[in-house]
C-alpha cells in the first residue's frame, strides 16, 4: 500500500517554518516541530515512538471491522488503513491489541459464569 502525500505541519504561528528535523507524531499524520515541544528528546540513534491517538471515527470503524472479523491481512488491511489515513502498521497493531483485549474479556466472562455455578478456580 503506497504511502499518501505528506501532510502539513501543525505548529504554532510564532514558530515560523518548521525545521527539517520535525518528528512525525501519532495517527493525525501531522508533523509537529520540535520548536513547539522543546521537551521532545530522544536518545541519539533512536527514534522516539509516540503513542498513536485514534479519533472517535477511526475507533468506531476499527471496532466495526473487528466485529466483522478479528484478523485483517493483506489488501483488506491496506484499504482500511488508507481509508482511515493510518499506516498499515498502526492498523495491524490495533488489531493485535484488540484481540488481546477480547481474549481477556472472554476469559473474565467464563470465570464469572463458573463463579455463579460455584465452580470457579482461583485466578493465577
Amino acid at each position: 500500500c503506497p504511502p499518501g502525500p505528506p501532510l502539513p505541519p501543525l505548529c504554532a504561528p510564532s514558530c515560523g517554518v518548521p525545521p527539517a528535523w520535525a518528528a512525525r507524531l501519532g495517527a493525525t499524520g501531522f508533523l509537529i516541530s520540535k520548536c513547539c515541544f522543546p521537551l521532545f528528546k530522544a536518545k541519539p540513534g533512536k527514534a522516539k515512538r509516540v503513542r498513536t491517538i485514534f479519533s472517535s471515527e477511526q475507533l468506531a470503524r476499527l471496532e466495526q471491522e473487528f466485529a466483522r472479523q478479528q484478523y485483517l491481512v493483506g489488501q483488506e488491511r491496506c484499504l482500511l488503513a488508507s481509508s482511515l489515513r493510518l499506516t498499515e502498521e498502526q492498523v495491524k497493531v490495533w488489531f493485535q491489541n484488540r484481540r488481546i483485549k477480547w481474549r481477556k474479556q472472554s476469559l473474565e466472562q467464563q470465570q464469572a459464569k463458573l463463579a455463579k455455578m460455584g465452580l470457579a478456580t482461583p485466578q493465577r
Side-chain angles (χ1 to χ4, degrees), residues 4 14 18 25 34 53 57-58 71 75 77 79 98-99 111-112 114:
S14 62
L25 291 181
K34 285 186 184 176
I53 306 298
E57 293 81 14
Q58 288 170 328
Y71 289 85
Q75 191 68 18
R77 183 168 61 212
L79 291 172
R98 186 62 181 86
R99 284 190 297 270
Q111 288 176 341
L114 289 173

Side-chain angles (χ1 to χ4, degrees), residues 2-13:
L7 295 166
L10 180 63
C11 193

Side-chain angles (χ1 to χ4, degrees), residues 28-47:
T28 61
F30 289 103
L31 292 176
I32 299 180
S33 159
K34 285 186 184 176
C35 63
C36 297
F37 293 97
L39 299 176
F40 182 81
K41 294 179 183 174
K43 292 180 183 173
K46 282 193 176 186

Side-chain angles (χ1 to χ4, degrees), residues 52-92:
T52 302
I53 306 298
F54 297 99
S55 70
S56 55
E57 293 81 14
Q58 288 170 328
L59 284 173
R61 178 74 189 282
L62 288 164
E63 287 289 353
Q64 178 184 357
E65 290 299 321
F66 185 81
R68 194 172 63 84
Q69 61 184 26
Q70 293 178 354
Y71 289 85
L72 204 60
V73 294
Q75 191 68 18
E76 288 180 316
R77 183 168 61 212
C78 177
L79 291 172
L80 180 60
S82 177
S83 72
L84 295 175
R85 294 188 64 169
L86 297 170
T87 65
E88 283 190 73
E89 182 71 14
Q90 288 170 318
V91 172
K92 182 183 105 175

